[in-house]
Amino acid sequence: MAGHPRGEGDAAPPSRRRRGYYWLLLLPFAGLLYPPLYAHANPHLWGIPFFYWYQVVWLGVTAAISTLVYRNTG
């Protein structure tokens, strides 16, 4: 197209297979949606109650999932 920077407007819609990666983004949401599932102190990990380290683990998992989705859909 004239007047548009190179590549703008040329992107094809994502294929059905690539759109499936977006479903992975629901995993962190589901894993943290219901606090009574993980709102207890045991087991401890290096003295840290389960409630806290469970959420910290999800930070890494969420970053990994987001990276995977970004690389496979972009």
Side-chain angles (χ1 to χ4, degrees), residues 15-25 69 73:
S15 67
R16 184 174 296 275
R17 180 176 177 265
R18 287 187 174 199
R19 283 184 290 179
Y21 282 102
Y22 290 118
W23 286 102
L24 291 174
L25 297 173
V69 172
T73 59

Side-chain angles (χ1 to χ4, degrees), residues 20-55:
Y21 282 102
Y22 290 118
W23 286 102
L24 291 174
L25 297 173
L26 291 175
L27 291 175
F29 178 74
L32 295 166
L33 179 65
Y34 188 63
L37 176 69
Y38 57 91
H40 45 85
N42 293 324
H44 285 83
L45 182 65
W46 300 303
I48 301 170
F50 180 74
F51 179 78
Y52 295 111
W53 66 258
Y54 179 81
Q55 293 176 69

Side-chain angles (χ1 to χ4, degrees), residues 21 24-25 60-74:
Y21 282 102
L24 291 174
L25 297 173
V61 171
T62 302
I65 289 172
S66 297
T67 301
L68 178 73
V69 172
Y70 175 76
R71 288 185 178 175
N72 286 295
T73 59

